Amino acid sequence: MQNLLDPAILFFVFGVLAGLVRSNLEIPAAVSRFLSLYLLMALGLKGGFALAHSGFSAEVLHSLFCAVLLALAVPALGYLVLRRFLKPFDALAVASTYGSVSAVTFITAVAYLERNGLPYGGHMAAAMALMESPAIVLAVLMANHVRQGQAAGSVQFNGGGTASLSAGGWGGQGRAPGNRIGHLLHESFTDGAQLLLLGAMVVGLVSGDAGKAAMQPFSGDLFKGMLAFFMLDMGLNAARQLPQLRGQSPWVLLYAVLGPFTHAFMGLGLACLAGLPAGDAGLLMVLAGSASYIAVPAVLRYAVPEANQALYFGLSLGLTFPLNVLLGVPFYMQVAHAVLG
């Protein structure tokens, strides 16, 4: 209940309500982009400062290894489940969306830990960055595999039309498949948001305590207000995506609700095996249980045009994101601290 009374969460709820009543309240796209970049930069600095204080250790390496393992296992297992009741391209798109991570959900979890005075490792921001790209890579590889398995070279698109594709083709993109794949993989690994996060972490690591004191007004004092403003925008966007969920299969909606919790408990299991502390384990659960609504959908739109964008984007932002922000984050943290102390 305490989490629901946090100003950032209340602004998110307010944004959802404003969106549902079709208010003309709107955050300009440029402002929303600035807020997201600010939050990533501040988070990277916080992680770098913490890492400079604690140093590298076996615990850090174990956390990063668990993160990468989850980033590979979650989309692969998700695809095996989803292909039973979705078309192949839709199944791999949803699986990769849920196999990646939500930076805003992670930031909300960090704010929860700080608000409750619970310790965590700053290196978990690096774990978040490592978990974003593997799902994109797997989506591209699985999409090519599905295309090669298509019979006769005619694919039925979700929009109702057909398009002639040779094995491994790209729907008339006009570029060689290999070049297109390389371009998409390059974009996924050099995404500006990821680079900003990692760059800020390096700055924090190098500057140490002196940098922390100098940047406190920016990365500390402003953080909660900026987060609340951004959560208002997220609430408005989530409300806009809810209509996309009408008419979807109950099994798909069930996956969007139960999948994140299943993935989170996979993260908890790995955290227990690796001997991670409770704060890091909770953040690993949050990362495993989150779903991307920015990076992965942006790539899938071009890499897998056969998939229904309204499906994977609507599920991640319209259903899973609110569920995690309102209920998932406090639940994951409480479970992690109950199990690992």
Side-chain angles (χ1 to χ4, degrees), residues 175-188:
R175 299 178 61 176
N179 292 336
R180 184 61 178 162
I181 294 174
H183 176 69
L184 289 168
L185 296 184
H186 176 267
E187 285 187 346
S188 69

Side-chain angles (χ1 to χ4, degrees), residues 11-235:
F11 270 107
F12 174 79
V13 174
F14 171 66
V16 172
L17 294 176
L20 291 178
V21 299
R22 300 181 181 179
S23 167
N24 62 355
L25 176 62
E26 185 177 359
I27 308 299
V31 175
S32 178
R33 176 65 175 169
F34 165 76
L35 290 171
S36 64
L37 292 176
Y38 164 81
L39 291 173
L40 288 171
M41 184 174 177
L43 178 64
L45 286 171
K46 285 172 177 282
F49 296 145
L51 196 56
H53 182 74
S54 64
F56 290 93
S57 63
E59 180 181 294
V60 172
L61 296 177
H62 291 163
S63 299
L64 299 180
F65 175 78
C66 290
V68 173
L69 187 59
L70 281 170
L72 294 172
V74 169
L77 294 175
Y79 176 68
L80 293 177
V81 173
L82 289 165
R83 68 178 183 178
R84 298 176 181 272
F85 45 87
L86 284 177
K87 297 177 181 179
F89 288 113
D90 286 341
L92 69 89
V94 174
S96 60
T97 301
Y98 280 79
S100 189
V101 296
S102 163
V104 180
T105 308
F106 180 80
I107 292 171
T108 304
V110 168
Y112 176 92
L113 289 171
E114 293 180 347
R115 185 172 65 251
N116 290 278
L118 300 172
Y120 67 94
H123 61 275
M124 293 304 295
M128 182 191 73
L130 288 174
M131 291 181 72
E132 189 168 29
S133 293
I136 297 175
V137 176
L138 286 178
V140 173
L141 296 177
M142 287 190 293
N144 276 339
H145 176 73
V146 171
R147 291 187 186 100
Q148 291 172 2
Q150 294 287 347
S154 181
V155 179
Q156 185 72 29
F157 282 78
N158 287 320
T162 59
S164 178
L165 292 176
S166 58
W170 283 88
Q173 295 286 337
R175 299 178 61 176
N179 292 336
R180 184 61 178 162
I181 294 174
H183 176 69
L184 289 168
L185 296 184
H186 176 267
E187 285 187 346
S188 69
F189 283 113
T190 59
D191 177 70
Q194 285 196 77
L195 288 181
L196 176 60
L197 175 68
L198 294 175
M201 183 176 293
V202 172
V203 170
L205 177 63
V206 172
S207 59
D209 291 338
K212 182 178 181 180
M215 297 298 291
Q216 174 60 28
F218 176 82
S219 60
D221 298 339
L222 288 176
F223 185 81
K224 290 185 178 180
M226 291 290 198
L227 177 60
F229 198 9
F230 188 64
M231 292 299 284
L232 169 63
D233 186 39
M234 287 295 96

Side-chain angles (χ1 to χ4, degrees), residues 324-341:
N324 273 330
V325 167
L326 298 176
L327 300 176
V329 168
F331 176 74
Y332 301 149
M333 293 303 173
Q334 291 170 12
V335 169
H337 283 82
V339 173
L340 297 171

